[in-house]
Amino acid sequence: MEPQSSHELGITRKRRREGSNGETEEGERLGKIPRCTVGLKNPAPFADELEPDSKSYERVTMEEAKKGTPFNRPVRVYADGIFDVFHSGHARALMQAKRLFPNSHLIVGVCSDELTHKYKGFTVMNEDERYDAIRHCRYVDEVVRNAPWTLTPEFLAKHRIDFVAHDDIPYSSAGSDDVYKHIKEAGMFAPTQRTEGISTSDIITRIVRDYDVYVRRNLQRGYTAKELNVSFINEKKYHLQERVDKVKRKVRDVEEKSKEFVQKVEEKSIDLIQKWEEKSREFIGNFLQMFGPEGALKHMLKEGKGRMLQAISPRQSPNSSPTREERSPSPTFRLPFFSKTSPPPSPPHHSGARGYLISEDDDDEDDDDDDNN
């Protein structure tokens, strides 16, 4: 059972494509797919290494193929190409070819170096590298080496091909306006869509455009100037440029670190200033609360002054004092620091002073003195 694809699950894969301004555009990923193990363990076999099929072969129609064929009779779909510098655009085209019908067997033809150099141009990868790259694509079931540039009825019958998959753009080559014209007229053509923004020519253009960058890159990785077809003067120039770039990178790193240091110092200084302002406000508030016009110190001084005045002011005598006869014998009062035998230090000035001996005998003597006078 073939696992559900992201298209069937209503999910779009993220795609990166380079726009005209060099920026990368990304498609949105609308959802996620459940985890499953769909990887294959072995690469696709070559067609000339398979055992011949002795069963009778009859082509299926487009309607029969779309409805679905029996398990032992998959729809045999053929897709061909150069597949130089194999990339995601190639893989997507093969994925579309594989998914054209519910039950399909994908055969991929790869043209040889001789045909490719004759009709299209020089390739980056040789034919063996391109064959091997296609074998390891997960959508491929069979690989045809040295595929023909133009498909003949004999080739179609030999490989029991039901449909040919390719993009619908006319492919003019080998003196023909469209090499797939006769396939389309026979009703065997199944169109696919090209992946915009990625192609072998685009990749080569990027390398040529940034040639110096990639030469310096490979020189750093140990390739010799001879292997890269670089002259002695250019080799020295690239090494000098690399040294200059290293110095620039170091200067840039120092600038970034110094900026980070300055930023940290500014942040810390701002924090210190804020803390200082908070402490200053707190100190001023406490100072005003203690020493201000209505501060606690003023209330303490007022309260202390009142207590001192109350302590040093004499007590007021009552308005009506009892007569001598009405007075009861008053006990003798002494200050605690005077003993019983020690006389008072000075004579009493008035009878109301505290700490002196006051008795009824003293009162009587004062009365006698008045009478004698």
Side-chain angles (χ1 to χ4, degrees):
M1 180 179 179
E2 191 172 336
Q4 286 180 308
S5 64
S6 60
H7 178 73
E8 293 169 350
L9 292 172
I11 301 167
T12 60
R13 293 285 186 180
K14 181 183 285 188
R15 292 174 55 186
R16 300 175 65 90
R17 64 178 61 174
E18 189 175 349
S20 58
N21 57 355
E23 297 180 355
T24 303
E25 302 175 359
E26 294 186 0
E28 296 182 355
R29 184 186 293 274
L30 301 179
K32 296 182 178 180
I33 60 176
R35 294 180 180 272
C36 58
T37 303
V38 296
L40 302 177
K41 295 182 179 180
N42 300 315
F46 291 116
D48 53 5
E49 296 177 350
L50 295 175
E51 296 179 354
D53 193 355
S54 58
K55 296 179 182 179
S56 60
Y57 167 71
E58 291 184 4
R59 279 195 61 249
V60 296
T61 63
M62 183 68 73
E63 294 180 358
E64 293 174 344
K66 289 183 178 180
K67 288 180 181 179
T69 57
F71 179 76
N72 58 353
R73 176 55 175 95
V75 180
R76 296 175 66 86
V77 180
Y78 178 81
D80 59 358
I82 309 303
F83 304 107
D84 188 23
V85 190
F86 188 80
H87 51 75
S88 62
H90 295 142
R92 287 179 179 275
L94 298 177
M95 178 187 69
Q96 294 179 59
K98 179 68 175 178
R99 292 171 48 195
L100 285 171
F101 308 107
N103 181 21
S104 62
H105 180 89
L106 180 59
I107 308 167
V108 179
V110 183
C111 299
S112 64
D113 288 344
E114 183 181 358
L115 284 177
T116 305
H117 297 168
K118 179 180 179 181
Y119 292 111
K120 193 166 185 178
F122 191 75
T123 58
V124 177
M125 302 167 63
N126 60 43
E127 58 184 26
D128 292 328
E129 293 170 338
R130 294 185 284 114
Y131 296 155
D132 197 56
I134 292 299
R135 289 186 68 196
H136 291 85
C137 179
R138 64 187 299 179
Y139 309 110
V140 179
D141 298 304
E142 186 178 336
V143 178
V144 177
R145 292 182 283 196
N146 193 16
W149 198 261
T150 303
L151 301 179
T152 61
E154 293 77 17
F155 179 84
L156 298 175
K158 175 183 177 181
H159 293 280
R160 303 186 173 209
I161 296 170
D162 295 312
F163 296 97
V164 177
H166 199 272
D167 61 82
D168 203 14
I169 301 173
Y171 193 85
S172 59
S173 179
S176 174
D177 294 336
D178 188 1
V179 295
Y180 297 104
K181 182 178 180 180
H182 63 289
I183 302 294
K184 296 176 181 177
E185 293 174 351
M188 298 177 62
F189 188 80
T192 58
Q193 299 295 324
R194 292 179 63 88
T195 301
E196 298 297 334
I198 182 69
S199 68
T200 301
S201 299
D202 292 338
I203 294 174
I204 294 175
T205 300
R206 298 178 203 172
I207 297 172
V208 173
R209 180 185 61 197
D210 301 324
Y211 170 79
D212 291 347
V213 174
Y214 293 110
V215 170
R216 289 166 55 187
R217 170 187 179 274
N218 282 9
L219 286 173
Q220 292 176 12
R221 281 159 176 76
Y223 288 90
T224 63
K226 184 177 180 180
E227 291 174 324
L228 297 173
N229 196 24
V230 174
S231 65
F232 177 80
I233 296 175
N234 286 336
E235 180 187 6
K236 299 304 178 184
K237 181 187 72 173
Y238 292 137
H239 285 306
L240 178 61
Q241 289 177 349
E242 184 62 29
R243 293 192 188 97
V244 171
D245 288 346
K246 284 184 179 179
V247 174
K248 289 181 179 179
R249 285 193 293 268
K250 288 182 180 179
V251 172
R252 194 181 304 114
D253 293 339
V254 171
E255 289 179 353
E256 291 177 357
K257 289 180 180 179
S258 57
K259 287 180 182 178
E260 292 178 359
F261 176 76
V262 171
Q263 185 177 0
K264 289 180 180 179
V265 170
E266 289 179 353
E267 291 176 356
K268 288 185 178 180
S269 62
I270 292 172
D271 293 339
L272 289 174
I273 291 172
Q274 290 177 350
K275 291 180 180 179
W276 182 82
E277 289 179 351
E278 292 175 0
K279 293 294 182 181
S280 300
R281 294 192 189 99
E282 183 179 355
F283 175 78
I284 294 171
N286 294 336
F287 182 85
L288 293 176
Q289 187 177 2
M290 177 62 70
F291 301 101
E294 299 297 330
L297 181 62
K298 183 176 181 180
H299 292 292
M300 291 172 62
L301 292 174
K302 285 182 179 180
E303 185 178 353
K305 183 178 179 182
R307 289 180 180 178
M308 292 175 62
L309 292 174
Q310 184 178 1
I312 64 177
S313 62
R315 294 183 179 178
Q316 295 182 359
S317 60
N319 294 330
S320 59
S321 59
T323 61
R324 187 184 303 172
E325 291 78 7
E326 295 176 352
R327 295 176 186 173
S328 60
S330 59
T332 301
F333 297 95
R334 290 184 177 87
L335 292 173
F337 49 82
F338 291 127
S339 64
K340 293 181 179 180
T341 58
S342 61
S346 60
H349 295 285
H350 54 80
S351 60
R354 297 179 62 185
Y356 298 99
L357 297 175
I358 302 174
S359 65
E360 292 180 358
D361 296 337
D362 295 335
D363 293 338
D364 291 340
E365 290 176 359
D366 294 338
D367 292 339
D368 292 340
D369 293 338
D370 293 337
D371 292 339
N372 292 330
N373 292 331

